[in-house]
Amino acid sequence: MKKPTRRKFMQQTSAAGLGLVTAASTRRILGANERVRIGLIGVGSRGDQVLDAFLMHPDAQIISICDVYQPYLPFAARKAGGSPALHRDYRKILEQKDVDAVVVATPDHWHALQMIQACEAGKDVYVEKPLALTIAEGRKMVDTARRTQRVVQVGIQRRSSKFVKEAADFIRSGGIGHVTVAKCYHVLNETPLGIGNPPDSAPPEGLDWDLWLGPAPKVPYNENRCAYKFRWFWDYSGGQLTNFGTHYLDNIQWALGETAPLTVTALGGKFGLKDNREIPDTLEVLWKYKTGTLVVFSQYNCNAAPCNISTGEVEFRGTKGTLYLGLRGYEVIPEVVRDVPVPARSPLDRRRLGPGKKLIEPIKVQGGILDADHARNFLDCVRSRKTCNCDIETGHRSTSAALLGNIALRTNSVIEWDSANERVTNHSKANDLLSYRYRSPWRLA
Ligand SMILES: NC(=O)c1ccc[n+]([C@@H]2O[C@H](COP(=O)([O-])OP(=O)(O)OC[C@H]3O[C@@H](n4cnc5c(N)ncnc54)[C@H](O)[C@@H]3O)[C@@H](O)[C@H]2O)c1
């Protein structure tokens, strides 16, 4: 009998030892010069951008594309080149043996099902943020990725940006002292009409509305529930808190060296807009972390005045300085401190006070956040089997922090979070919002 090669031996023993043939064990191992063959699921607004990002890399080949809105397919196929297979149903991509990896860029309510089924089919996955619609889905996604040994990149592309990493490392190493407050903002004046109030109607030609809804409740088609604007409806999304907030909370947790808050609360409502959105137009969310840090997210959709002096979207207020982090760089502004107890405001005290000191130097760094860098990291990890810059556990924890804000809002409460067990400890109704019942026949494996 021919002696098995080491790789074959490892595959046979590990799979047989467990009594199963895992997706990982049957999957081909990519050679250094081979192209990573990719299937795209969802080629709307973000899917199109991620397609561009992968097309920057000659070792990525788009061989299959799927969207429930058929008119998008020829456009994406022309861009991708090479006559990719075109599908309406994503399960056709998962059946394709020649697909090594899939990109999931569908609305949030689809991420868990599509990512988990892709892992089970032996594909590596690039899945957009927010990782999931609920925390229970996110945990299941992490567990599946680990069990099937899939490489997963979550689409929080700031993790692949040099300047964002530098800023996070600087803060975590104490560069601006103890960060007692981190604030992040999303402001946009959508008055007076917001997204409007279109009536329910028949779906447009070429859209499979039932497959778009998937596990979400069956409702008539309304154009505001669909392309891009699904963000303002609870069945499909968590609003700007999970849309932009997941990016910001990821920055903040990274910089603090934290993975989860202790306490969360939120207040908000539809105060200014009369459109048919369900999600508040005005929102304030607060998280407390065990580092002794209060985190604040402000979403104002009825006023767009800038929230800070820089172009930053996230600000870290440390005892020695403030770091403003934006899309094009970061800036550190030193604090002036006096090494004496804060005095009473008498003239004598003021004279004794003397000049303050800057304990750190100002810094200004410019840079960029490139989707192509994040795609590059994914392609490299598919080959090396290393952990991606935004691993699934990280993406899950950053998404969870945002989702907890919505749970606090919807239960009108201050919730205490047990991050080890992923349960709310002081409000049983809040735990009902950690998951939801899928519409039949959809269910998580
Ligand atoms: N990383 C980022 O910076 C970033 C930026 C924008 C959007 N996103 C994320 O990307 C996702 C998509 O957002 P978008 O703005 O592109 O929305 P979109 O509505 O423009 O696109 C979603 C696409 O998915 C398709 N789709 C829906 N259900 C499908 C299914 N079952 N199978 C195949 N296709 C299906 C839709 O027809 C549509 O073309 C969201 O989760 C969003 O949060 C991430």
Side-chain angles (χ1 to χ4, degrees):
M1 203 174 90
K2 222 172 130 199
K3 205 174 158 201
T5 60
R6 184 176 181 277
R7 189 201 293 162
K8 211 161 197 118
F9 175 77
M10 293 300 285
Q11 283 176 354
Q12 282 167 355
T13 49
S14 55
L18 292 168
L20 46 84
V21 179
T22 62
S25 69
T26 56
R27 189 176 172 283
R28 79 190 179 111
I29 311 286
L30 280 169
N33 298 320
E34 276 182 275
R35 299 216 270 175
V36 178
R37 296 167 306 182
I38 296 174
L40 300 179
I41 305 179
V43 282
S45 166
R46 183 59 183 165
D48 181 55
Q49 293 170 349
V50 180
L51 168 59
D52 287 343
F54 278 100
L55 289 176
M56 299 290 285
H57 304 296
D59 60 333
Q61 188 184 6
I62 309 299
I63 66 163
S64 199
I65 303 177
C66 154
D67 201 295
V68 295
Y69 186 48
Q70 300 293 288
Y72 282 165
L73 292 176
F75 176 78
R78 263 197 308 281
K79 249 193 190 183
S83 313
L86 302 180
H87 305 290
R88 179 183 55 86
D89 189 326
Y90 69 96
R91 289 167 292 193
K92 295 281 180 213
I93 290 192
L94 305 187
E95 282 167 14
Q96 275 185 247
K97 295 259 178 300
D98 52 353
V99 169
D100 300 308
V102 299
V103 172
V104 176
T106 47
D108 315 357
H109 68 289
W110 265 112
H111 293 180
L113 267 169
Q114 291 172 336
M115 180 270 177
I116 287 175
Q117 290 174 4
C119 288
E120 299 289 1
K123 320 294 185 199
D124 295 324
V125 186
Y126 182 112
V127 55
E128 267 309 334
K129 54 64 17 199
L131 183 65
L133 193 62
T134 66
I135 292 176
E137 286 178 324
R139 177 48 60 199
K140 203 149 198 169
M141 293 164 89
V142 177
D143 291 347
T144 306
R146 298 293 185 245
R147 176 173 48 75
T148 56
Q149 297 172 37
R150 297 297 81 207
V151 166
V152 181
Q153 176 85 293
V154 181
I156 301 179
Q157 58 274 14
R158 293 166 197 227
R159 284 266 167 178
S160 291
S161 160
K162 197 166 154 272
F163 85 82
V164 178
K165 177 173 184 336
E166 194 178 289
D169 291 347
F170 182 65
I171 294 167
R172 218 173 36 255
S173 67
I176 56 169
H178 176 182
V179 177
T180 53
V181 176
K183 291 187 115 177
C184 49
Y185 313 92
H186 183 264
V187 297
L188 181 69
N189 193 336
E190 296 182 37
T191 59
L193 296 179
I195 55 174
N197 255 310
D200 293 347
S201 67
E205 178 97 19
L207 173 69
D208 185 336
W209 177 236
D210 192 65
L211 197 51
W212 190 101
L213 287 170
K218 179 125 185 135
V219 289
Y221 174 81
N222 184 290
E223 68 172 74
N224 275 357
R225 290 181 167 268
C226 193
Y228 191 86
K229 293 185 266 187
F230 64 82
R231 284 167 173 75
W232 287 281
F233 294 85
W234 294 117
D235 286 344
Y236 326 117
S237 175
Q240 299 299 17
L241 173 57
T242 56
N243 190 33
F244 283 91
T246 299
H247 285 299
Y248 304 156
L249 285 156
D250 184 70
N251 289 162
I252 291 168
Q253 294 196 152
W254 195 8
L256 296 179
E258 276 293 324
T259 55
L262 296 172
T263 313
V264 191
T265 193
L267 282 174
K270 267 183 81 172
F271 299 151
L273 293 170
K274 306 256 180 295
D275 56 17
N276 69 344
R277 82 182 58 201
E278 295 172 348
I279 283 170
D281 58 37
T282 307
L283 178 66
E284 205 75 25
V285 188
L286 286 110
W287 298 258
K288 191 173 85 184
Y289 282 80
K290 74 166 183 296
T291 43
T293 309
L294 192 63
V295 173
V296 188
F297 170 81
S298 306
Q299 178 212 307
Y300 307 149
N301 290 147
C302 303
N303 172 286
C307 282
N308 62 38
I309 59 160
S310 148
T311 51
E313 297 170 296
V314 186
E315 63 184 44
F316 297 90
R317 292 173 175 263
T319 47
K320 296 180 185 171
T322 303
L323 189 147
Y324 295 97
L325 182 63
L327 288 172
R328 283 177 288 281
Y330 71 89
E331 187 170 2
V332 174
I333 311 239
E335 285 285 293
V336 175
V337 292
R338 295 182 175 84
D339 218 0
V340 291
V342 175
R345 286 178 177 263
S346 79
L348 283 179
D349 283 331
R350 228 174 277 139
R351 228 173 297 132
R352 266 209 311 271
L353 200 56
K357 274 192 299 200
K358 284 183 188 167
L359 301 179
I360 57 171
E361 292 301 314
I363 304 174
K364 197 164 187 167
V365 170
Q366 289 187 329
I369 297 167
L370 299 179
D371 292 337
D373 291 343
H374 209 46
R376 177 72 263 152
N377 172 251
F378 176 64
L379 294 168
D380 290 344
C381 292
V382 166
R383 248 175 248 295
S384 67
R385 315 309 294 167
K386 287 192 180 149
T387 304
C388 290
N389 285 346
C390 191
D391 176 47
I392 180 115
E393 177 75 31
T394 305
H396 169 58
R397 292 297 191 165
S398 302
T399 301
S400 297
L403 290 170
L404 285 170
N406 276 334
I407 293 177
L409 175 81
R410 297 180 78 183
T411 52
N412 198 23
S413 58
V414 179
I415 57 178
E416 307 286 341
W417 182 235
D418 171 358
S419 60
N421 295 303
E422 298 192 329
R423 301 290 294 170
V424 176
T425 54
N426 64 333
H427 196 302
S428 63
K429 281 243 172 300
N431 284 316
D432 294 346
L433 297 177
L434 296 175
S435 62
Y436 77 103
R437 190 186 287 273
Y438 280 12
R439 181 168 66 109
S440 175
W442 300 102
R443 60 187 197 89
L444 280 183

